Amino acid sequence: MLEITSTPLVLIAILGTVGVILPIISIARKEKGSNSFYAVIAFAALIVSMGYVGYQFVNEHVVPSALFSEDVIVDDAFGGFFAIALLIVAVFTTVGSFNYMRKHNSPAVYYSLILLSTIGMVLVAYSTDLVMLFVAWELMSIPTYVLVGFMKRNPSSNEAALKYFLFGALSSAIIVYGISLSYGLTGSTNIGEVIQGYATLDPSLYPLALLSVGMFIAGFGFKMGLVPFHQWLPDTYEGAPPTITALLAAATKKAGFAATIRIVVLGMMVLNVDWTLALGILAVMTMTVGNVAAIMQKNISRMLAYSSIAHAGYILIGLAVAPHSSLGLQGSLYQILNHAVMKGAAFIGIAGIVTTLAVTHIDKLKGLGRRMPITSLGMIISLFALAGVPPLAGFWSKIMLFGSALDASPTLEWAPWLAIAGVLNSALSLAYYGWITRKMYFEGEKEKRVKEPKSVIGVMVFSIIFLVGFGVYPEPILQFVEFATPVLSLGLMP
């Protein structure tokens, strides 16, 4: 039985209360409240929530690894790890919107939707029941459909929202089908009981069990941006407000991985089915398609959208080799946390550029290093961290991912090829990251410096400190990752 002070319940109370109250305040004040008024309230709620998650870890009130419980949600380190990563991105999005939302109406609704979507993302990571997970999935998704189309008079934003909604509805339907198959086979929606039921399943029912796992991979794959489920992603990222793109690229994708790890990876273990080759092929396809397509883009949002697809492929390497290497899941979680900061900072940097200069075409970024030096520096460090350049934090998570593939080589002869593909794709990504760097710092005439949004500067400074600091001294993050990583040999129920 969950205690009233358990992390997921407290987060629901804080974020849910504030998320519901903001529009009510707006109605009561008849929209007299400024954008910053609602932004500060939302920011405070997110900071308090993050502080509480951190407090639970520091005081050792969190169960290590991933736990399966009879309750629909559980307070474990795995969920807490994702909560930290997701809340960081939500803070980035809120802070980055301080200036961006000054030109748009309905700020109370905007920040309310961010908070409600954040609740859904966090609950996905804490869920131990398939029905609860689906409810959380929809709570995460529905507000983002609205946020993507928030610029109602912008045709590009409307198109992005429509594509996102259609693909999102399809992915939800596929997930529901997977849940129905699992319930029909095991008589339960509790994830732990479902996995145990699969372990003792009659061999004649294996095809249906495999189909259900395949449905989950496909359904979650839409949100994670895996090839071939990625078609919606570039158009949506380009048309959505850049601050919301940060939320999609750096947060909702992570919720998809949280669900995949808790259901699919552990489910594959008990089914005794070798899915590693299938996931390995998906990983290589995803990272290669993402990087090759990114090189051909002229719009920086589309370029980073394809880059986001490529990084889903890197993370998938760890999931593919997880049954054969203890470093697999650790590398995936490490990359997930780093990617939340790296990609979130990059898109908030784009939001700052759009707010100040109203440009997104890469050729228009000439001389940006002189015009917006702090924003440019934060973006370049984020991009190089995404490429895995030492001594930035992204280097260590990629080393762990590629190392896990090499570590699995005694039992998986083809596993080292995953590491080779990852290294080659990381080198390929330097082509378009280097192109952006060249435009910002080595092209263009001497431009006058413009006033950078202070909120964007704050995000850039935090990301620089995080990526450089934990790149030079990664030990605290490594310990955090190890504490939160599921141990595949653990029992399913407490």
Side-chain angles (χ1 to χ4, degrees):
M1 188 72 178
L2 280 174
E3 297 180 0
I4 194 67
T5 57
S6 64
T7 308
L9 295 183
V10 171
L11 295 185
I12 293 173
I14 296 172
L15 299 177
T17 301
V18 177
V20 171
I21 285 178
L22 281 181
I24 297 175
I25 294 175
S26 173
I27 295 171
R29 296 169 63 95
K30 297 181 180 179
E31 281 292 2
K32 292 180 181 178
S34 64
N35 163 66
S36 58
F37 173 77
Y38 301 110
V40 168
I41 295 176
F43 173 75
L46 291 168
I47 291 296
V48 171
S49 299
M50 193 184 304
Y52 190 80
V53 178
Y55 169 82
Q56 293 288 81
F57 274 102
V58 170
N59 287 274
E60 299 180 353
H61 294 162
V62 180
V63 180
S65 186
L67 181 67
F68 289 91
S69 168
E70 295 179 355
D71 296 315
V72 294
I73 52 177
V74 64
D75 189 3
D76 59 7
F78 178 80
F81 176 89
F82 275 91
I84 289 289
L86 297 170
L87 287 168
I88 287 175
V89 179
V91 169
F92 278 12
T93 303
T94 302
V95 173
S97 300
F98 280 13
N99 289 83
Y100 185 82
M101 280 302 295
R102 287 178 181 173
K103 300 178 182 179
H104 301 281
N105 298 323
S106 306
V109 174
Y110 176 86
Y111 292 110
S112 173
L113 291 172
I114 290 176
L115 295 180
L116 295 177
S117 181
T118 303
I119 294 176
M121 289 185 276
V122 169
L123 287 181
V124 167
Y126 281 117
S127 294
T128 55
D129 186 273
L130 292 175
V131 174
M132 180 66 218
L133 185 143
F134 181 73
V135 171
W137 188 268
E138 291 303 292
L139 179 57
M140 167 187 71
S141 300
I142 293 174
T144 58
Y145 299 152
V146 180
L147 289 168
V148 168
F150 205 77
M151 298 182 292
K152 294 179 289 185
R153 297 181 181 179
N154 186 331
S156 180
S157 181
N158 293 334
E159 180 186 352
L162 182 59
K163 287 183 178 179
Y164 183 38
F165 170 73
L166 291 176
F167 278 100
L170 177 61
S171 71
S172 296
I174 292 173
I175 292 170
V176 169
Y177 187 45
I179 292 173
S180 67
L181 287 174
S182 300
Y183 179 75
L185 291 170
T186 63
S188 176
T189 58
N190 181 278
I191 296 174
E193 293 179 3
V194 168
I195 293 176
Q196 287 180 330
Y198 277 4
T200 58
L201 204 61
D202 187 281
S204 63
L205 297 177
Y206 270 17
L208 286 177
L210 296 178
L211 178 61
S212 69
V213 175
M215 292 296 100
F216 286 126
I217 292 176
F220 299 144
F222 278 100
K223 193 68 71 177
M224 292 184 290
L226 303 181
V227 173
F229 313 114
H230 68 289
Q231 295 94 336
W232 61 274
L233 196 144
D235 291 335
T236 299
Y237 283 19
E238 181 183 11
T243 50
I244 300 307
T245 304
L247 190 70
L248 298 179
T252 59
K253 288 172 69 75
K254 308 304 178 294
F257 277 107
T260 300
I261 292 172
R262 200 181 280 273
I263 298 175
V264 176
V265 173
L266 298 177
M268 288 190 302
M269 294 294 293
V270 299
L271 281 173
N272 294 318
V273 176
D274 189 4
W275 284 73
T276 54
L277 180 58
L279 291 182
I281 293 172
L282 272 179
V284 174
M285 288 174 54
T286 301
M287 69 177 80
T288 304
V289 169
N291 282 318
V292 171
I295 291 178
M296 298 183 286
Q297 303 306 311
K298 301 295 183 181
N299 182 288
I300 190 169
S301 294
R302 289 185 70 88
M303 178 180 286
L304 291 186
Y306 281 109
S307 166
S308 185
I309 293 171
H311 277 269
Y314 299 137
I315 295 171
L316 204 59
I317 290 176
L319 305 190
V321 302
H324 303 273
S325 172
S326 60
L327 295 175
L329 286 181
Q330 289 186 32
S332 291
L333 291 189
Y334 195 3
Q335 180 70 5
I336 283 169
L337 179 59
N338 283 337
H339 187 263
V341 177
M342 297 183 294
K343 190 66 74 173
F347 275 111
I348 294 302
I350 293 176
I353 296 170
V354 170
T355 303
T356 307
L357 304 176
V359 298
T360 55
H361 197 283
I362 293 176
D363 287 338
K364 299 290 182 65
L365 300 180
K366 293 179 180 179
L368 191 70
R370 292 181 289 273
R371 303 185 73 183
M372 302 178 68
I374 300 176
T375 302
S376 299
L377 179 62
M379 282 193 65
I380 293 305
I381 289 179
S382 298
L383 296 180
F384 283 163
L386 285 167
V389 175
L392 303 175
F395 169 75
W396 296 110
S397 53
K398 281 195 172 182
I399 284 292
M400 185 175 288
L401 278 173
F402 303 157
S404 68
L406 297 176
D407 186 52
S409 58
T411 53
L412 287 178
E413 295 181 355
W414 50 265
W417 289 103
L418 287 178
I420 294 172
V423 171
L424 292 177
N425 272 279
S426 295
L428 183 62
S429 68
L430 279 172
Y432 54 89
Y433 294 146
W435 186 27
I436 296 175
T437 306
R438 178 184 172 184
K439 294 291 183 183
M440 286 184 176
Y441 287 97
F442 300 103
E443 292 188 10
E445 299 177 358
K446 292 185 177 180
E447 303 280 356
K448 291 184 179 180
R449 182 172 180 176
V450 298
K451 185 177 181 181
E452 301 175 76
K454 292 181 180 179
S455 57
V456 174
I457 289 177
V459 173
M460 294 298 106
V461 170
F462 174 86
S463 64
I464 291 171
I465 293 172
F466 182 97
L467 297 175
V468 175
F470 288 119
V472 175
Y473 183 62
E475 188 62 26
I477 299 296
L478 289 171
Q479 292 178 357
F480 184 36
V481 168
E482 185 176 357
F483 183 71
T485 301
V487 179
L488 299 183
S489 60
L490 285 179
L492 296 175
M493 303 295 285

